[in-house]
């Protein structure tokens, strides 16, 4: 009888333990669900914050993107002008060469930067086209427009101060005019915003 009583107490004890564990498990599940929901909410909030931040592009970021384009354009412009002038080409042929080389070096600098992120050449080339085409086009339009309208600039030789002065000023004007374009594009996830995705 005593053994049965002890056995009954032991059974009730096991039942109580099982019940307690079950209750703890039941209580824990909503907590986990709540935690998962909280994590999801935090993640969603983070995405909203990232999207919101992406829309706010500072002038400094736009200026850096424009400077990147300007570097390639300047190399191409100067090289094209030097080659065309040295070979005695006409104004239109020299300007055409300068524009082609400006695009070439502009794309090349971006291509080199994206390839460092470890992507394949085809992807890097598409990124370069997407990032720089509009920026370089605007820059070349402004740059060559200034030189074409500057009295005597198109006929200046490499030895003339006017040649280098007009080229420097035209590039500076192009930089100022293209920076707002890059700011607008980056703010919409285009232009050099595409390049930035491969740097993080």
């Amino acid at each position: 009888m005593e053994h049965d009583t002890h056995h009954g107490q032991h059974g009730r004890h096991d039942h109580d333990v099982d019940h307690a564990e079950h209750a703890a498990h039941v209580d824990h599940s909503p907590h986990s669900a709540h935690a998962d929901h909280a994590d999801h909410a935090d993640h969603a909030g983070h995405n909203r914050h990232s999207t919101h931040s992406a829309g706010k592009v500072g002038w400094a970021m736009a200026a850096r993107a424009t400077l990147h384009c300007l570097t390639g354009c300047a190399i191409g412009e100067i090289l094209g002008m030097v080659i065309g002038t040295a070979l005695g080409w006409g104004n239109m042929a020299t300007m055409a060469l300068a524009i082609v080389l400006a695009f070439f070096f502009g794309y090349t600098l971006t291509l080199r930067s994206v390839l460092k992120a470890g992507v394949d050449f085809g992807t890097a080339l598409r990124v370069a086209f997407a990032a720089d085409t509009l920026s370089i086009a605007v820059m070349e339009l402004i740059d060559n427009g200034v030189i074409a309208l500057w009295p005597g600039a198109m006929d200046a030789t490499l030895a003339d101060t006017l040649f280098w002065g007009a080229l420097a000023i035209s590039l500076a004007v192009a930089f100022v005019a293209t920076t707002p374009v890059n700011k607008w594009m980056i703010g919409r996830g285009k232009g050099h915003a595409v390049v930035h995705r491969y740097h993080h």
Side-chain angles (χ1 to χ4, degrees), residues 50-197:
S50 299
T51 303
H52 180 69
S53 298
K56 289 187 174 181
V57 181
W59 285 103
M61 182 184 295
R64 284 194 297 272
T66 307
L67 185 61
H68 180 89
C69 288
L70 181 67
T71 302
C73 287
I75 294 173
E77 281 281 334
I78 293 173
L79 190 59
M81 292 289 186
V82 168
I83 292 174
T85 303
L87 295 178
W89 289 3
N91 292 338
M92 294 306 297
T94 299
M95 184 174 289
L97 177 63
I99 292 173
V100 169
L101 290 178
F103 272 94
F104 173 78
F105 282 102
Y107 287 140
T108 299
L109 290 181
T110 299
L111 185 65
R112 179 173 173 268
S113 175
V114 177
L115 284 173
K116 286 183 178 180
V119 301
D120 62 276
F121 183 82
T123 299
L125 191 62
R126 288 192 295 272
V127 170
F129 286 154
D132 289 332
T133 299
L134 180 59
S135 179
I136 295 175
V138 172
M139 190 167 288
E140 285 303 295
L141 179 64
I142 301 298
D143 174 38
N144 287 283
V146 171
I147 292 178
L149 295 174
W150 193 304
M154 291 295 295
D155 298 320
T157 65
L158 297 178
D160 294 333
T161 304
L162 177 60
F163 174 86
W164 298 104
L167 185 59
I169 291 175
S170 66
L171 288 171
V173 173
F175 174 83
V176 173
T178 309
T179 298
V181 175
N182 277 321
K183 186 176 185 296
W184 177 81
M185 290 178 66
I186 295 172
R188 283 154 183 77
K190 300 178 181 179
H192 270 253
V194 180
V195 178
H196 293 161
R197 294 170 196 162

